[in-house]
Amino acid sequence: MASGEPKRNDPDRRQRIVDATLEVIAQHGVAATTHRRIATAAAVPLGSVTYYFASLEALLTTAFLQLAAVSSAAFAARLAEAQDRDGARAAIVDIIAESIWAEPRTLLLSYELYAFAARHPPVTAVMQRWMDDSRAALERFFDPLTARALDALVEGIGIHNSIDRQPLQRDAIREIVDRVAGA
């Protein structure tokens, strides 16, 4: 680039940093996530990370907000396809057995998110909103207590399946959902 030429704008840089933060967290955990690791993963200069985010906590919070938004949207989208309680139960089985919750990366990030939220009140509020949104989607078909149980079931089975020597298969998940939902 000749001197006097304007620098090229990199409109995706901030988003790459956020995405890279989630990758670093998934690989190393929050405790081992550093500005340097994030910059390397995002392929940006170290100064870019601190330019866009005033602190590592601000960056972690932004990354976890994105994770919560994406996960919540996927949950709501699948449940929105349901027309009745039977369809809602089928959607819950899909969410547990096939969706983003079944992916090891998402489960790892979720563990990290819950631990981070327990110590960072702004993220705790985000988690509460995520749970509220999930429950509201479920309450289209189920009473509030059942919606709460199903919401916990979605994450709980995912967590257990991620480390269980014999993860629950779709038929078992369906039976459990039916029992909780009162089918």
Side-chain angles (χ1 to χ4, degrees):
M1 181 180 337
S3 66
E5 244 180 83
K7 290 172 101 176
R8 287 191 178 165
N9 189 6
D10 184 356
D12 299 326
R13 183 173 288 188
R14 184 180 189 281
Q15 185 59 51
R16 278 201 328 271
I17 292 168
V18 173
D19 293 341
T21 300
L22 291 171
E23 288 306 317
V24 171
I25 293 167
Q27 290 176 9
H28 303 285
V30 168
T33 296
T34 64
H35 285 101
R36 190 171 305 283
R37 278 191 168 147
I38 293 166
T40 300
V44 300
L46 182 58
S48 289
V49 178
T50 56
Y51 172 79
Y52 287 103
F53 299 95
S55 67
L56 185 57
E57 183 170 330
L59 177 50
L60 292 170
T61 298
T62 300
F64 280 138
L65 289 172
Q66 177 177 298
L67 173 67
V70 169
S71 298
S72 183
F75 181 97
R78 178 57 188 96
L79 208 54
E81 295 172 15
Q83 301 298 315
D84 54 23
R85 281 177 67 97
D86 289 341
R89 285 196 310 271
I92 294 164
V93 172
D94 287 348
I95 288 166
I96 296 169
E98 296 177 0
S99 81
I100 57 173
W101 283 108
E103 295 175 7
R105 176 186 179 273
T106 302
L107 286 165
L108 280 172
L109 287 169
S110 297
Y111 302 152
E112 295 289 338
L113 172 57
Y114 273 98
F116 188 77
R119 292 177 181 84
H120 298 84
V123 182
T124 303
V126 170
M127 291 301 296
Q128 186 60 57
R129 191 168 52 242
W130 182 2
M131 288 189 296
D132 291 346
D133 290 347
S134 298
R135 291 174 189 168
L138 289 163
E139 286 176 10
R140 287 182 45 225
F141 305 101
F142 306 100
D143 65 88
L145 189 58
T146 301
R148 187 174 185 152
L150 290 167
D151 185 39
L153 185 71
V154 167
E155 293 184 41
I157 289 177
I159 290 167
H160 282 232
N161 272 356
S162 73
I163 58 172
D164 199 323
R165 285 185 297 276
Q166 295 180 334
L168 291 171
Q169 299 301 309
R170 178 178 276 281
D171 289 341
I173 293 168
R174 182 178 298 109
E175 184 174 337
I176 293 167
V177 169
D178 287 347
R179 287 181 185 184
V180 172

